[in-house]
Amino acid sequence: MAGPAKIEVPEGLGKPLDERSVQKLREDFPILKQLVHGKPLVYLDNAATSQKPRQVIDAIADYYESYNSNVHRGLHALSEQATQAYEGARGIVRSFLNADEDREIIFVKGTTEGINLVASSYGRAHLQQGDEIIISEMEHHSNIVPWQILCEEKGAVLKVVPFNDDGELLLDEYERMLGPRTKLVSMTYISNALGTVNPVKSIIEIAHERGVPVLIDGAQAVPHRPVDVQDLDCDFFVFSSHKVFGPTGMGILYGKAEILDSMPPYQGGGDMIRSVTFEKTTYNDLPYKFEAGTPNVAGAIGLGSALEYVSRIGMNNIEEYEKSLLSYATEAVSSIEGVRIIGTASQKAGVLSFLLDQVHAHDVGTVLDTEGVAIRTGHHCAQPVMKHYGIAATARASLAFYNTRADIDALVKGLDKVIEVFTL
Ligand code: 7TS
């Protein structure tokens, strides 16, 4: 079933963002209005998960209040309405990513499940002993471990592209690593620990020159910049709904139809079959072949609503606004004595990881919390990144379009408090 062809952007929206328009948008986010430890919440943990606008919360509530039903099964009115909304959401995702066809959009639980699906299905079908998969040193654990499991099973080899101390991939090394045994490249678009924006278009082009398909982990890209999978020409692209203002438990695996068609099912069950007998089961077409069991209908509807929401603002506008906010934050935090920024690539987005001299990252996070400032501290599920710098953890402030310079000022004030507490 085809979804809406295009996301409609009402007139007046889609203008460049500034502090004033962002203040107005913040009103859409009920959670941002609260006090934490008696202080206004300053939410700077968006790389972990983002907050949800009223529109997304309402779309989910409306599904449960008015047309909750299973999809692709019933002929009754509610089931048809639910099916339409679910498939409509698939159309919205297709339009958002500029994929060619709805059947290239597979609903999964999140980035992690999307990568596991490819490792399990594509990997099982195409890898043999001695084959190679290339990832990078800056991957999230979810783009490392599924490949390690696969390599162990198949006797294949995982190769890792290193990065320099600024957090930029060494592309020469990457080119050298690509060889006749390379079966897949899987790389992050934006590092969740460093904020580096990788040159994924070149990475894909270089792999394709050698006939190697590429998976892009877009978990940290989709909330911050426009993504066009046809322009990138990636073979797979994965992201999580909860990082782009949608609900948890939902994510997307995009794959080129031809390649998805050639892959065996990932899980068996209802909805993914055409017919079942004990002698022979035939599988359903894309995308249903990869969506076994009752899907997360509310999740899909919520994600669709979130993508419409950010499309109305304009992903270009979000990218531009956040670029200026990140430079403001970088300048402000760098000017604090004893701060060391981890991740100084020339192309960065969304993330400011840092260390404070003599203070453990966890203590930084704990004191900031008492000031109402929420950041993440730790290894960010990217332990190899920590190992590169010989550290155990960083403090990480991560941005969304609803953050303002006042949020950064509150972070800086909080860091002054940390220094006061720990240098007494
Ligand atoms: N890939 C990247 C680049 C990520 O940042 C994350 C989550 C994942 C994959 C996994 O996404 P999930 O939705 O399937 O869990 N990153 C983070 C983070 O930086 N802090 O908490 C989760």
Side-chain angles (χ1 to χ4, degrees), residues 192-195 340-343 348 351-355 380 386 394-397:
N192 69 316
L194 301 168
R340 175 183 164 204
I341 306 285
I342 303 293
K348 279 187 68 176
V351 166
L352 187 62
S353 258
F354 59 92
L355 296 173
H380 315 296
M386 301 300 123
T394 73
R396 180 189 69 180

Side-chain angles (χ1 to χ4, degrees), residues 161-164 168-175:
V161 180
F163 59 79
N164 66 22
E168 292 165 334
L169 288 180
L170 302 181
L171 291 181
D172 291 355
E173 299 266 342
Y174 166 59
E175 283 213 55

Side-chain angles (χ1 to χ4, degrees), residues 45 47-49 109-113 115 138-143 188-193 217-220 239-243 250 376 380-381 396:
D45 194 16
T49 201
K109 275 194 305 193
T111 304
T112 303
E113 193 184 37
I115 297 172
M138 67 172 78
E139 300 306 319
H140 185 277
H141 295 164
S142 67
N143 197 27
T188 194
Y189 199 145
I190 297 180
S191 157
N192 69 316
D217 173 352
Q220 298 295 346
F239 72 93
S240 298
S241 150
H242 70 95
K243 293 191 200 286
M250 169 52 56
R376 182 174 170 186
H380 315 296
C381 302
R396 180 189 69 180

